[in-house]
């Protein structure tokens, strides 16, 4: 591992680096929470694309208010270098203040974090802190030019603010939050824990313990907690445990908007003073496991990426397309006219439609006791599925069934009306699309791979545009992008990049702490 202290050397190193660069900014005094971040930063999607990890150590004066611990912040560059090297970092960048801010702190361009993001949690009690964080991270990103920035979820407000900064400035870097690492006694790792004497440390343990207890009570469905009592009781219990409370607040995780009662994915966060240390921690409240809705036009690659995304995050993949196909198979096998609603409706009575997994993880579909996993892929079913799926009786029956399957959450569903009709309260809604030209190009490649004749591209484009028009203008469940969906245009992105973009969007809303990554 190289240790660099000058910006010039860093820029030089970056120019010659060909691998993706993953960046972990720190203020030093590295502990095993940092070690975990650095190790995770070193993981690439494939062994061949292993990234180079850059770690910075810089105690940033801009983010400390007068009277805070800037002058005594723990420093241990040689220990930091040993830990970063052991965790797999390629480069440690440790500039001085004069090196990073050559024109001095007074003459520096400084960023201003939007008011709403600073008016809560630590922003309220540490005015100016997040402006300092945003300014230094923007400066570091400009120098390191990483592909991926890794930050701990423990500083959730910092993570939300830096995600906004990256998105609003259009910086070409993905931001990844990683679950809070805790010591075996439950205390979240922090460089400031070193300020605690033994008995202060045992007092401090009340912070994670009380937050976890409140989460368990919320999960157990204690109705009285679903109000401001949650905050008041947490505060009271922290005080009774001998901690001086700076704040206890309940906010929406993704936006930091203050909440009167838990809603969606919420964060119950607290800061306390314990001896010389100010400690922060939070717990995530979720009434049910997360639901992700992925909609989009035909040919956008939804099913391939949704399946892989589900596997990556340990979510159940609800293949609504397979359900419509199974009903189509049933209608055809019963000799019903797929175009006649009054012939189809009676066939939906007492429908027993099941999705499950075989021993190899493959999807199994059965309808009314018939195993139809392969039969639903036949050309006959393919030719009739959009006709059958357009009947309102079919949409209603399957929507009801999909909603029942989603009751316990923990799933991702893909289709045309998942975010608008099936799961309108999904935690993440994505509209996955690609331009007509791109979808035509992919379709041509597919046909060629399967050994079919490939029509001219303009003909394929016309067919796709026609299908889009039909899907968007049909009466029953037209293809629509939900108002609160994120549009993801996959032109120019490989499958892995689309999956990663979905994972990053999911993680903006659902912290790892609340829904752990199965591979982590
Ligand atoms: O979280 C930290 O250690 C700091 O706020 C950061 C992101 C390194 C900026 O100084």
């Amino acid at each position: 591992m190289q240790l660099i202290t000058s910006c010039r050397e860093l820029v030089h190193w970056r120019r010659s680096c060909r691998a993706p660069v993953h960046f972990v900014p720190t203020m030093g005094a590295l502990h095993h929470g940092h070690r975990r971040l650095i190790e995770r930063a070193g993981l690439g999607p494939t062994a061949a694309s292993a990234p180079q990890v850059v770690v910075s150590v810089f105690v940033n004066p801009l983010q400390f208010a007068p009277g805070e611990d800037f002058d005594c912040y723990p420093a241990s560059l040689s220990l930091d270098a040993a830990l970063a090297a052991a965790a797999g970092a390629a480069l440690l960048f440790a500039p001085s203040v004069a090196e990073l801010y050559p024109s001095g702190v007074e003459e520096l361009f400084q960023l201003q974090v939007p008011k709403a993001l600073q008016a809560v949690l630590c922003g309220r009690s540490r005015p100016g802190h997040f402006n300092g964080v945003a300014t230094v991270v923007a400066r570091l990103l400009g120098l390191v030019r990483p592909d991926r920035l890794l930050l701990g979820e423990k500083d959730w407000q910092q993570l939300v603010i830096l995600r906004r900064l990256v998105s609003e400035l259009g910086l070409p870097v993905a931001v990844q939050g990683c679950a809070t690492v805790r010591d075996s006694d439950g205390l979240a790792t922090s460089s400031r824990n070193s300020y605690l004497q033994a008995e202060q440390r045992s007092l401090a343990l009340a912070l994670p313990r009380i937050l976890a207890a409140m989460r368990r009570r919320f999960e157990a469905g204690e109705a009285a907690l679903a109000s401001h009592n949650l905050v008041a009781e947490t505060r009271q219990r922290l005080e009774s445990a001998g901690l001086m409370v700076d704040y206890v607040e309940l906010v929406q995780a993704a936006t930091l908007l203050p909440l009167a009662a838990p809603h969606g994915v919420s964060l119950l966060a607290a800061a306390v003073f314990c001896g010389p240390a100010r400690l922060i921690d939070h717990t995530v409240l979720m009434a049910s496991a997360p639901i992700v809705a992925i909609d989009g036009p035909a040919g956008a690659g939804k099913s391939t990426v949704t399946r892989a995304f589900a596997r990556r995050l340990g979510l159940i993949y609800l293949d609504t397309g397979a359900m419509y196909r199974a009903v189509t198979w049933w209608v055809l096998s019963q000799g019903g006219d797929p175009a006649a609603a009054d012939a189809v409706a009676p066939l939906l009575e007492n429908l027993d439609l099941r999705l499950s997994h075989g021993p190899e993880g493959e999807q199994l579909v059965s309808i009314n006791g018939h195993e139809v996993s392969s039969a639903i892929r036949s050309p006959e079913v393919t030719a009739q599925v959009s006709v059958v799926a357009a009947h309102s009786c079919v949409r209603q029956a399957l929507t009801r069934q999909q909603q029942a399957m989603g009751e316990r959450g923990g799933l991702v569903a893909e289709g045309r009306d998942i975010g608008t009709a099936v799961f309108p309260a999904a935690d993440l809604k994505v509209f996955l699309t690609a331009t007509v030209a791109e979808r035509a190009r992919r379709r041509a490649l597919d046909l060629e791979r399967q050994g079919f004749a490939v029509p001219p591209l303009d003909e394929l484009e016309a067919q796709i545009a026609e299908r889009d028009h039909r899907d968007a203008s049909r009466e029953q469940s037209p293809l629509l992008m939900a108002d609160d969906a994120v549009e993801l245009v996959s032109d120019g992105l490989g499958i892995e990049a689309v999956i990663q973009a979905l994972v990053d969007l999911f993680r903006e809303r659902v912290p790892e702490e609340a829904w752990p990554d199965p591979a982590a």
Side-chain angles (χ1 to χ4, degrees):
M1 186 192 75
Q2 282 188 63
L3 173 63
I4 286 181
T5 55
S6 91
C7 298
R8 203 172 42 82
E9 279 175 287
L10 173 64
V11 169
H12 184 73
W13 177 90
R14 182 65 185 93
R15 271 202 204 115
S16 59
C17 179
R18 295 282 159 263
V21 171
H22 290 183
F23 176 42
V24 180
T26 80
M27 296 207 301
L30 302 186
H31 45 70
H32 65 271
H34 291 116
R35 172 196 271 269
R36 188 74 200 109
L37 269 178
I38 299 167
E39 284 167 353
R40 290 198 53 191
L43 302 174
T46 62
S49 59
Q52 295 276 293
V53 179
V54 174
V55 176
S56 67
V57 168
F58 180 68
V59 184
N60 172 33
L62 296 181
Q63 66 189 77
F64 291 81
E68 288 189 345
D69 54 349
F70 175 66
D71 291 324
C72 59
Y73 198 82
S76 53
L77 190 58
S78 55
L79 290 176
D80 289 347
L83 184 143
L91 183 89
L92 185 74
F93 176 52
S96 64
V97 174
E99 179 69 20
L100 205 62
Y101 301 145
S103 44
V105 164
E106 298 301 318
E107 283 305 306
L108 198 70
F109 260 112
Q110 299 217 27
L111 288 170
Q112 177 78 39
V113 174
K115 273 204 204 77
L117 292 177
Q118 298 212 53
V120 289
L121 311 177
C122 291
R124 209 205 300 256
S125 35
R126 301 187 71 189
H129 168 70
F130 289 112
N131 293 338
V133 171
T135 302
V136 76
V137 172
R139 171 97 179 102
L140 290 167
L141 289 177
L143 290 164
V144 179
R145 301 194 176 274
D147 299 286
R148 186 160 277 273
L149 167 68
L150 287 96
L151 297 159
E153 281 184 353
K154 170 168 175 273
D155 297 300
W156 182 262
Q157 183 170 21
Q158 168 171 286
L159 180 58
V160 172
I161 288 172
L162 293 177
R163 278 188 169 128
R164 271 281 289 279
L165 171 116
V166 161
S167 124
E168 287 195 13
L169 299 188
L171 304 179
V173 56
V175 183
Q176 178 177 341
C178 298
T180 303
V181 175
R182 294 180 183 277
D183 286 326
S184 54
D185 57 9
L187 196 64
T189 54
S190 162
S191 306
R192 289 186 168 104
N193 290 352
S194 65
Y195 298 154
L196 298 169
Q197 307 285 343
E199 73 277 18
Q200 290 165 338
R201 187 170 172 114
S202 23
L203 258 189
L205 296 182
L207 176 61
R209 197 172 21 81
I210 291 170
L211 288 170
M214 296 308 282
R215 190 192 63 240
R216 280 194 298 273
R217 287 181 54 191
F218 169 78
E219 285 170 353
E222 273 189 48
L225 282 178
S227 72
H228 74 277
N229 296 352
L230 189 63
V231 167
E233 189 177 330
T234 308
R235 172 180 279 275
Q236 184 264 313
R237 289 179 66 169
L238 288 169
E239 283 169 353
S240 310
L243 295 168
M244 199 170 114
V245 174
D246 181 5
Y247 67 74
V248 177
E249 285 180 50
L250 183 70
V251 296
Q252 196 175 60
T255 59
L256 302 183
L257 284 176
L259 290 172
H263 177 72
V265 184
S266 319
L267 210 73
L268 178 65
V272 296
F273 294 98
C274 181
R278 180 179 175 280
L279 304 172
I280 60 170
D281 204 346
H282 64 255
T283 190
V284 183
L285 307 181
M286 279 195 317
S288 56
I291 291 190
V292 180
I294 300 184
D295 290 305
K302 290 192 304 285
S303 50
T304 314
V305 295
T306 305
R307 211 180 286 277
F309 167 77
R311 213 172 310 120
R312 183 85 60 91
L313 285 168
L315 295 164
I316 294 165
Y317 169 50
L318 179 57
D319 185 352
T320 62
M323 295 171 77
Y324 284 104
R325 282 176 172 273
V327 169
T328 306
W329 179 89
W330 177 241
V331 171
L332 294 174
S333 73
Q334 298 303 297
D337 174 1
D342 51 1
V344 171
L347 295 173
L348 301 172
E349 270 164 38
N350 303 321
L351 195 69
D352 178 14
L353 173 48
R354 295 178 194 205
L355 297 182
S356 57
H357 289 287
E360 307 287 304
E362 73 282 16
Q363 178 173 267
L364 301 177
V365 187
S366 77
I367 188 161
N368 298 335
H370 300 267
E371 211 295 309
V372 293
S373 315
S374 346
I376 61 170
R377 305 285 161 200
S378 72
E380 294 74 28
V381 171
T382 304
Q384 297 299 335
V385 62
S386 66
V387 177
V388 171
H391 296 305
S392 69
C393 55
V394 174
R395 306 256 18 138
Q396 280 167 15
L398 290 198
T399 296
R400 262 198 313 275
Q401 179 146 6
Q402 287 154 12
Q403 286 170 338
M405 287 165 154
E407 235 152 52
R408 293 177 52 207
L411 64 77
V412 50
E414 160 258 308
R416 305 285 159 82
D417 61 351
I418 307 296
T420 48
V422 183
F423 298 123
D427 297 283
L428 166 65
K429 296 181 190 175
V430 177
F431 194 78
L432 182 62
T433 185
T435 56
V436 169
E438 172 70 12
R439 281 182 283 147
R441 196 185 63 78
R442 291 183 197 162
R443 177 95 185 106
L445 282 177
D446 263 2
L447 288 171
E448 195 180 296
R449 252 196 303 265
Q450 293 172 40
F452 292 113
V454 182
L457 271 184
D458 54 352
E459 208 173 285
L460 283 174
E461 285 182 14
Q463 283 169 12
I464 289 171
E466 160 64 21
R467 170 87 195 262
D468 283 357
H469 176 72
R470 245 188 299 131
D471 283 349
S473 56
R474 72 175 179 217
E475 226 169 84
Q476 276 307 315
S477 311
L479 171 66
L480 273 182
M481 177 164 138
D483 290 341
D484 50 353
V486 181
E487 187 177 29
L488 181 55
V489 183
S490 65
D491 288 43
L493 296 179
I495 290 177
E496 181 49 43
V498 178
I499 298 165
Q500 189 56 59
L502 289 174
V503 171
D504 289 340
L505 285 170
F506 178 81
R507 285 297 176 211
E508 284 176 20
R509 289 151 183 84
V510 184
E512 281 193 353
E513 180 165 336
W515 186 262
D517 214 328

